[in-house]
Amino acid sequence: MRKICLWTAAGLAALFLLFIGAVAVTPLPLDEIVHWKASPLVLDRDGRIIHARLSASSEWAIPVPLTDMGKWLPAVVVSVEDKRFWHHPGVDPLALLRAAAQNLSAGKVISGASTITSQLIRIALPKERTFATKIVEFLQAVKLDFLLSKEEILTLYLNRAPMGGNIRGAEAAARIYFNKNAKDLSAGEASLLVGLLRGPSLYRPDRNPQGALARRNAIIDLAVERHG
């Protein structure tokens, strides 16, 4: 029995070292993740935006720090999209095990165990969706989690996420859909924007108000359920 335990421990250690080695050699173009084309802005003397134009990518993109995204938006997005975000190393082992069990049971892929970090990788470094791509994204997510703080990753995600049409990021979406800053969003408004993350075109409130409302309500119910 002791010999079996030693072999098991040695095998797990080898797998861990193999995983760390794979993370280390996986390329991660960090500059492409932390920099993107934003809307040119004209500010008044108090730093308030008085004019904005489309970015060089023809998008409305107004990046702001996490402290300017208010109370609700960061809390809701973590609760709904990645509830163990603050604790896992870029990938969520528990979510991976759950997804593997669900996929095996269904005989097809019905769950991907994406984290906020891996979703940021997907947004910043778009590739053809394949199983191999998914593996690379997970390795890159672990590497990114090592290089950046959780706050930096969440800030990048909320600033880079597509929000319908040529609207990118929470601040631009808050201004266009609600005519207010992201930091002033109510819990319901923040939940509506979070609902856009899985269907930026499908749940646009200006194109599909009923669908956006139903999605918002589902997000609120899920957030409440996960917080007891």
Side-chain angles (χ1 to χ4, degrees):
M1 180 65 70
R2 182 180 178 185
K3 188 175 293 186
I4 293 175
C5 290
L6 288 174
W7 276 109
T8 301
L12 290 174
L15 285 174
F16 178 74
L17 291 175
L18 182 63
F19 175 74
I20 294 300
V23 170
V25 300
T26 298
L28 180 68
L30 188 60
D31 190 64
E32 294 181 34
I33 297 173
V34 301
H35 296 110
W36 69 100
K37 296 178 176 65
S39 295
L41 306 175
V42 177
L43 309 177
D44 66 13
R45 67 177 62 186
D46 297 317
R48 293 173 298 202
I49 299 173
I50 57 177
H51 179 70
R53 300 200 310 273
L54 288 172
S55 72
S57 299
S58 296
E59 294 179 323
W60 295 109
I62 307 173
V64 295
L66 191 62
T67 52
D68 285 348
M69 291 188 185
K71 169 186 177 181
W72 293 110
L73 189 59
V76 173
V77 76
V78 169
S79 176
V80 171
E81 292 292 317
D82 188 359
K83 63 182 180 181
R84 286 180 286 272
F85 169 74
W86 297 107
H87 308 291
H88 64 60
V91 296
D92 186 343
L94 293 177
L96 284 172
L97 290 173
R98 185 200 67 236
Q102 291 175 341
N103 295 339
L104 286 172
S105 176
K108 59 181 180 180
V109 178
I110 61 174
S111 179
S114 293
T115 63
I116 285 174
T117 315
S118 65
Q119 289 179 50
L120 172 59
I121 296 288
R122 188 180 311 158
I123 292 168
L125 308 171
K127 304 180 188 70
E128 182 183 358
R129 305 308 302 153
T130 65
F131 181 74
T133 296
K134 192 80 171 177
I135 296 299
V136 171
E137 283 178 355
F138 282 156
L139 293 173
Q140 290 176 323
V142 173
K143 196 167 191 174
L144 186 63
D145 193 83
F146 177 77
L147 295 172
L148 300 181
S149 69
K150 291 290 188 179
E151 289 79 7
E152 288 173 319
I153 290 170
L154 186 57
T155 301
L156 287 167
Y157 177 65
L158 287 172
N159 276 316
R160 299 205 60 170
M163 294 286 185
N166 65 343
I167 304 168
R168 183 168 297 279
E171 181 69 15
R175 288 173 177 269
I176 291 171
Y177 294 135
F178 301 114
N179 194 31
K180 59 173 64 175
N181 297 327
K183 65 182 178 182
D184 297 322
L185 293 173
S186 67
E189 291 164 342
S191 297
L192 189 144
L193 292 191
V194 172
L196 284 167
L197 296 173
R198 294 297 179 97
S201 299
L202 182 60
Y203 299 115
R204 283 183 61 169
D206 56 339
R207 300 276 182 88
N208 182 12
Q210 290 184 333
L213 183 62
R215 177 65 174 162
R216 182 207 68 178
N217 292 343
I219 293 294
I220 292 173
D221 289 344
L222 182 56
V224 170
E225 176 187 333
R226 289 185 171 176
H227 280 279

